[in-house]
Amino acid sequence: MRILLVFASLMAAACSEQLFVGDQVLRITASNEEQIALLRALGEQTELQVDFWRHPASPGRPSDLRVPFPSLQAVKTLLESNGISYSIMIQDLQKLLDEEKKAMAKSRRTERSTGTFDFASYHTIDEIYDWMDTLVADHPDLVSKLQIGQSYENRSLYVLKLSTGGSNRSAIWLDTGIHSREWITQATGAWTANKIAEEYGQDPSVTAVLDSMDIFLEIIANPDGFAYTHSSNRMWRKTRSINAGSRCIGVDPNRNWDAGFGGSGSSSNPCSETYRGPYAHSEREVKAIADFILSHGNVKLVISIHSYSQMLLYPYGYKTAPAPGHQELNEVAKKAVSALAAVYGTKYTYGSIADTIYLADGTTIDWTYDHGVKYSFTLELRDTGCYGFILPSTQIIPTATETWAAVLDIMVYVLEHPPQKREPWGAAGTRDRLFWLTMKVLVLLAALVAVATSTEMFTGHQVLRIVPTTEEELQKVHELQDMEELQLDFWLAPRVPGHPVDIRVPLPSLQPLKEHLEDNGISYSVMIKDVQALVEHEQMEMLHRPRQLVLSTDSFNFAAYHTLDEIYAFIDLLVAENPNLVSKIEIGRSTEDRPLYVLRFSRGGTNRPAIWIDTGIHSREWVTQASGVWFAKKIVQDHENDEDLASVLNEFDIFLEIVTNPDGFVFTHTQNRMWRKTRSRNSGSLCVGVDPNRNWNAGFGEAGASRNPCSETYHGPYANSEPEVRAIVDFVNNHGNIKAFISIHSYSQLLLYPYGYTNTPVPDHEELHEIAERAVTALSSLYGTSYKYGSIYTTIYQASGNTVDWTYNQGIKYSFTFELRDTGRYGFLLPASQIIPTAQETWLALKVIMQYTLDHPY
């Protein structure tokens, strides 16, 4: 198989233009979620070089897969052996492409002889750009050409402006060809521009629209990719930007927008067709449109045109929650689809992106909608799969004609229903009041760049997963914890036979440790081959984030990791924006004299019952602090619209400590990404810090913690020795009315309750188990993430001196610990792309616990 693929690749390279001889397009219909997961995994098998034309969405919905000839037998065998049904949509892709080329050549001969532009033919970028100049020359009082930027390969990004005059008028934006292989869209864009120019003054609807609004039309939104489809690879979809550290080229420009960027509806793999890019708006083609729309400030309608599937879609794609105006958008879509079908009877489906096809984050119209363009739509043109992206040119004019009926219908609706302009957050008075808060951000440009001489490197370090199968093997793994000379870092500590143990192993210790394991017959695998590579990727993502003064929490990037100063600045902004709901309390100071801030969400009153949530007590668990930030914004956003949350806040206060261990957190950003403990000095030892989740006065100093100051689980010299722990203890005791306490960690995907220091069940263990089951079910309902649940002792291991054992013993019956994603693939280095999905699913579980606490007072 690999030899055939290499041979095919060499042949294609020699010919410069990629051929698709014998490639087939299979229509696959999965019947259950297991088969859907298998198809998605198939798409990640890079050696097969398969190309999903329609991605696996849900059972019963077809997915279309282009399979290279050398991979056909393997793919078909895989499908058949797993009982997945398929049919052949396209028998030989190259034959369709050859026919397409012949039709283009014939059309060019006709165009040369007649001096006309053939709208019933596909054209190159130069031909379309030349025709645009002709259109402008033919209609100088109506049509002009703007250049809004340059592509990655320095091609001009041209937009046609159709206007009857005036300044800063309401506007309509149309774009086609953002996915370069969707040739029917660029062809439809050219036909549409000509139609508007010709119909002005003739068609009452077109005239009415242009008398009041400008129309901007970008026919080739991805010129580098489009040129590449004509010169080298007809199936190219993405941009042509270079991806650092990868041989794979390009970014999916419809996953690169700053709307749910980095979620589960895009890929972090540069070789994937849905690769989102290193950061939002990394692609010049995307940034040019975003900058244009923002600078214009009065765009009322955006329609982004794709193919294929025959759909009319509206936001959202990055989340399942309905857009605030979804009912109106659905009515507009329904009416437009009826107008389209009236031309040739072509059937379109319509609805939100997430509900109609699948979760897709970072899309054009989600971003435009979130930036105030109420009427934001995506069209997926003909067909439904018979030809896919190789729609015959004979269908260009019928497709454009029926599409125009829908587009015009939407434009007239927008004209007749002008949306109220959404004022961006931060009108002048508010900005003046809050501007001082944002000055903190100026110091952050250098915060991510650690001093080279002081930053600990992890080059060559590996994370091994060890699975002891007997008590004897388990004992030998336990003994490794005392071998300080190996400098091992246990990410998952030894539990019982059959449970995995994850250990970060420094390069000098790798060979001795592997030999030791092999000599004792203990199996292991490499979970992370080079820790430093993941750390550097994480750093690059942070460094390449767009740098700007954050004047509003709405513009805060929740899909990225942030420093302590950035999070504290966010906290100040959140409080300033929501003074009637949110306040900031300083409950103490850390060892290094940093403030310990807690957010209080309250509708007023004194000594009301309360819920406590903390994140980041172990500093290297960055996904927890990031989730905490997201929770804070979520509470503010939903406190009136979410009935369950509103009912909780009507009776309870919520306290949220986002950075529970600020000294350790700063240290992870500046010197040692893997730091877990506090930063207190230990008398008589050169080793620094205490495990703040072994420092509580609940079974303190017993088995399940270490007395060695150099250990990652060192319990400290005495209970509550750490100011970070003592501050929470004092707060809880002084408050006296906390009813639920939730401490959030990572990783392992667990929901735990007391006890950890003893195997004796807590008196309320049956009730806590039932709550955990409900919460885990809610969490799993969003993305299918699987969590285990139970007491700390029985589910993972004995852990003395932990947070929730102490809170339970103080009378807080509903005490829980979360261990968030993942189960070891990335461990503490979870990619930033998983922050929002992790926070979203965790929030569902938190809501279950909070609601249960409300409904079961004690």
Side-chain angles (χ1 to χ4, degrees):
M1 171 61 67
R2 293 183 184 271
I3 294 173
L4 286 171
L5 287 170
V6 170
F7 179 73
S9 299
L10 291 172
M11 288 295 293
C15 299
S16 77
E17 182 177 355
Q18 185 165 338
L19 299 176
F20 301 91
V21 177
D23 288 21
Q24 292 184 352
V25 177
L26 306 182
R27 168 148 290 181
I28 305 168
T29 305
S31 58
N32 55 50
E33 290 293 346
E34 183 180 354
Q35 292 182 354
I36 289 288
L38 191 148
L39 291 179
R40 288 173 179 159
L42 176 62
E44 297 297 321
Q45 302 300 311
T46 54
E47 70 274 11
L48 294 177
Q49 298 182 6
V50 296
D51 172 16
F52 272 103
W53 285 16
R54 293 176 71 176
H55 288 264
S58 60
R61 287 184 179 174
S63 55
D64 296 345
L65 181 68
R66 178 179 64 81
V67 186
F69 177 70
S71 301
L72 270 175
Q73 192 57 47
V75 170
K76 289 179 178 179
T77 299
L78 175 69
L79 296 174
E80 291 164 4
S81 63
N82 285 277
I84 303 175
S85 63
Y86 69 89
S87 59
I88 299 174
M89 293 291 291
I90 298 177
Q91 184 73 35
D92 186 341
L93 181 58
Q94 190 61 43
K95 288 185 179 179
L96 287 185
L97 297 179
D98 291 343
E99 292 171 6
E100 186 178 65
K101 282 186 177 179
K102 289 178 183 178
M104 288 181 68
K106 181 180 178 181
S107 174
R108 284 197 181 96
R109 291 193 294 270
T110 302
E111 287 179 331
R112 282 195 294 268
S113 64
T114 61
T116 60
F117 186 87
D118 183 4
F119 291 100
S121 175
Y122 292 119
H123 294 87
T124 65
I125 185 172
D126 291 336
E127 290 169 335
I128 292 175
Y129 278 3
D130 287 345
W131 171 80
M132 287 169 65
D133 290 336
T134 301
L135 185 72
V136 171
D138 289 346
H139 303 275
D141 296 329
L142 182 67
V143 188
S144 58
K145 185 177 74 172
L146 312 176
Q147 181 175 334
I148 64 169
Q150 297 280 123
S151 69
Y152 181 83
E153 294 178 347
N154 286 320
R155 291 182 173 87
S156 299
L157 299 170
Y158 287 134
V159 173
L160 290 174
K161 179 183 181 182
L162 299 104
S163 175
T164 55
S167 60
N168 197 36
R169 301 203 309 168
S170 299
I172 294 165
W173 172 276
L174 309 174
D175 65 64
T176 57
I178 199 166
H179 285 153
S180 47
R181 65 185 173 187
E182 298 168 5
W183 282 11
I184 184 60
T185 70
Q186 297 96 335
T188 296
W191 185 95
T192 301
N194 189 68
K195 181 72 171 176
I196 296 171
E198 289 189 343
E199 292 292 309
Y200 178 71
Q202 305 296 321
D203 183 304
S205 296
V206 175
T207 304
V209 169
L210 279 173
D211 282 345
S212 298
M213 308 179 78
D214 294 341
I215 299 175
F216 295 94
L217 172 53
E218 186 176 18
I219 296 174
I220 306 177
N222 178 6
D224 296 346
F226 188 55
Y228 196 70
T229 62
H230 282 272
S231 63
S232 301
N233 181 347
R234 174 63 179 85
M235 290 297 102
W236 191 261
R237 164 189 169 101
K238 300 189 288 183
T239 62
R240 292 293 300 164
S241 57
I242 303 298
N243 294 313
S246 175
R247 290 181 295 177
C248 296
I249 302 293
V251 166
D252 182 344
N254 200 39
R255 299 295 187 277
N256 188 240
W257 297 76
D258 194 9
F261 178 81
S264 62
S266 62
S267 176
S268 60
N269 179 0
C271 298
S272 169
E273 293 290 352
T274 59
Y275 174 52
R276 66 179 71 98
Y279 53 90
H281 300 180
S282 63
E283 303 311 282
R284 296 181 186 178
E285 298 82 355
V286 170
K287 190 174 188 303
I289 302 174
D291 290 347
F292 178 85
I293 290 175
L294 290 175
S295 62
H296 187 283
N298 203 15
V299 174
K300 302 299 185 183
L301 166 65
V302 167
I303 304 177
S304 187
I305 299 179
H306 294 247
S307 76
Y308 61 99
S309 284
Q310 296 176 192
M311 295 177 174
L312 178 52
L313 308 170
Y314 50 80
Y316 284 113
Y318 72 86
K319 58 183 178 182
T320 55
H326 73 280
Q327 292 177 332
E328 183 184 8
L329 296 178
N330 196 66
E331 285 301 312
V332 175
K334 179 180 180 181
K335 189 167 172 286
V337 163
S338 295
L340 184 151
V343 181
Y344 297 112
T346 308
K347 293 183 179 180
Y348 268 54
T349 55
Y350 58 93
S352 74
I353 299 170
D355 289 342
T356 309
I357 45 175
Y358 41 64
L359 280 172
D361 52 82
T363 68
T364 308
I365 64 167
D366 279 3
W367 181 86
T368 58
Y369 185 85
D370 280 348
H371 283 75
V373 185
K374 176 182 177 182
Y375 301 116
S376 293
F377 294 93
T378 287
L379 277 160
E380 294 278 356
L381 305 187
R382 293 191 187 184
D383 57 4
T384 55
C386 181
Y387 294 101
F389 301 122
I390 317 297
L391 197 70
S393 58
T394 54
Q395 294 197 39
I396 292 174
I397 291 179
T399 300
T401 302
E402 66 189 12
T403 304
W404 172 244
V407 169
L408 183 58
D409 192 83
I410 296 172
M411 290 195 295
V412 170
Y413 182 93
V414 174
L415 175 66
E416 294 174 350
H417 300 79
Q420 295 296 315
K421 184 175 181 180
R422 293 187 195 175
E423 289 294 336
W425 181 90
T430 309
R431 273 203 302 269
D432 291 342
R433 189 173 70 252
L434 299 177
F435 184 74
W436 68 272
L437 298 174
T438 67
M439 291 302 100
K440 295 181 181 181
V441 184
L442 290 172
V443 303
L444 300 177
L445 288 176
L448 296 176
V449 184
V451 180
T453 56
S454 62
T455 302
E456 183 162 346
M457 305 293 287
F458 302 94
T459 305
H461 291 213
Q462 293 185 352
V463 176
L464 304 185
R465 170 153 288 183
I466 301 168
V467 184
T469 57
T470 65
E471 289 291 347
E472 182 181 0
E473 290 182 358
L474 183 65
Q475 180 58 36
K476 289 194 176 295
V477 175
H478 271 294
E479 291 169 359
L480 294 174
Q481 294 178 296
D482 298 323
M483 300 174 70
E484 291 184 19
E485 66 277 10
L486 293 178
Q487 297 185 351
L488 305 179
D489 175 13
F490 279 79
W491 285 16
L492 287 181
R495 312 182 202 178
V496 294
H499 280 257
V501 179
D502 293 350
I503 310 177
R504 177 177 61 82
V505 187
L507 179 61
S509 302
L510 267 176
Q511 195 58 36
L513 178 62
K514 289 180 178 179
E515 289 178 359
H516 175 76
L517 295 172
E518 291 163 4
D519 289 346
N520 286 279
I522 302 174
S523 64
Y524 68 89
S525 59
V526 179
M527 293 293 289
I528 299 177
K529 192 170 185 179
D530 187 346
V531 172
Q532 186 62 30
L534 286 185
V535 171
E536 289 175 356
H537 180 75
E538 184 178 69
Q539 291 172 341
M540 288 296 292
E541 283 190 330
M542 293 182 70
L543 287 169
H544 282 98
R545 276 188 285 137
R547 293 290 172 184
Q548 59 185 19
L549 287 176
V550 180
L551 296 174
S552 162
T553 58
D554 289 339
S555 59
F556 188 87
N557 186 358
F558 295 95
Y561 291 119
H562 293 274
T563 65
L564 180 71
D565 288 335
E566 289 173 323
I567 292 174
Y568 278 5
F570 162 84
I571 286 173
D572 288 338
L573 283 171
L574 191 74
V575 172
E577 291 169 8
N578 305 276
N580 296 324
L581 178 68
V582 190
S583 57
K584 182 180 76 173
I585 304 167
E586 183 178 327
I587 64 169
R589 310 288 291 191
S590 68
T591 295
E592 296 177 347
D593 203 35
R594 291 183 172 90
L596 301 169
Y597 288 135
V598 173
L599 286 172
R600 179 191 183 194
F601 301 86
S602 177
R603 290 184 170 164
T606 58
N607 198 36
R608 302 203 312 162
I611 294 165
W612 171 281
I613 302 170
D614 65 63
T615 57
I617 197 168
H618 285 153
S619 48
R620 65 185 174 187
E621 298 167 6
W622 281 10
V623 73
T624 69
Q625 297 96 335
S627 294
V629 170
W630 189 93
F631 298 152
K633 181 64 174 178
K634 185 67 171 174
I635 294 170
V636 165
Q637 286 178 327
D638 288 3
H639 75 99
E640 291 180 341
N641 300 323
D642 185 317
E643 291 183 4
D644 291 339
L645 179 60
S647 65
V648 169
L649 284 170
N650 283 338
E651 302 294 333
F652 283 77
D653 293 344
I654 298 174
F655 294 97
L656 171 58
E657 186 174 16
I658 297 173
V659 187
T660 307
N661 178 6
D663 297 346
F665 188 55
V666 169
F667 200 69
T668 63
H669 280 273
T670 58
Q671 298 192 50
N672 182 344
R673 175 63 180 86
M674 291 298 107
W675 192 260
R676 164 188 169 102
K677 300 188 287 183
T678 63
R679 292 294 300 162
S680 57
R681 299 293 175 182
N682 294 310
S683 178
S685 174
L686 295 175
C687 295
V688 174
V690 166
D691 181 345
N693 199 40
R694 299 294 187 277
N695 189 239
W696 300 73
N697 195 17
F700 176 81
E702 298 178 12
S706 174
R707 67 182 67 181
N708 179 357
C710 298
S711 169
E712 294 291 353
T713 59
Y714 173 51
H715 49 57
Y718 53 88
N720 303 345
S721 64
E722 302 311 283
E724 298 84 356
V725 172
R726 185 75 209 174
I728 302 175
V729 168
D730 290 345
F731 180 87
V732 171
N733 285 334
N734 291 335
H735 187 283
N737 200 16
I738 292 177
K739 299 300 183 182
F741 194 108
I742 304 163
S743 188
I744 298 182
H745 294 247
S746 76
Y747 63 99
S748 283
Q749 295 175 193
L750 305 170
L751 179 51
L752 307 170
Y753 50 82
Y755 285 124
Y757 73 88
T758 174
N759 61 2
T760 303
V762 295
D764 303 293
H765 74 276
E766 291 182 358
E767 183 181 10
L768 295 180
H769 196 79
E770 180 186 347
I771 298 168
E773 181 178 23
R774 292 186 191 180
V776 163
T777 300
L779 184 153
S780 300
S781 69
L782 187 57
Y783 297 113
T785 309
S786 178
Y787 266 57
K788 295 178 181 178
Y789 54 95
S791 75
I792 299 170
Y793 193 106
T794 60
T795 308
I796 47 174
Y797 42 64
Q798 187 173 6
S800 56
N802 70 75
T803 310
V804 298
D805 281 4
W806 179 84
T807 58
Y808 183 85
N809 283 346
Q810 300 302 305
I812 304 175
K813 179 164 70 166
Y814 303 124
S815 292
F816 293 93
T817 289
F818 278 86
E819 295 281 354
L820 304 187
R821 294 190 186 185
D822 58 5
T823 55
R825 169 63 183 88
Y826 295 100
F828 301 122
L829 296 169
L830 195 71
S833 60
Q834 293 196 40
I835 292 172
I836 291 178
T838 300
Q840 288 173 328
E841 65 190 12
T842 307
W843 177 246
L844 296 182
L846 288 174
K847 283 180 59 181
V848 168
I849 296 171
M850 291 192 294
Q851 186 65 47
Y852 187 95
T853 303
L854 173 66
D855 294 339
H856 297 79
Y858 63 95

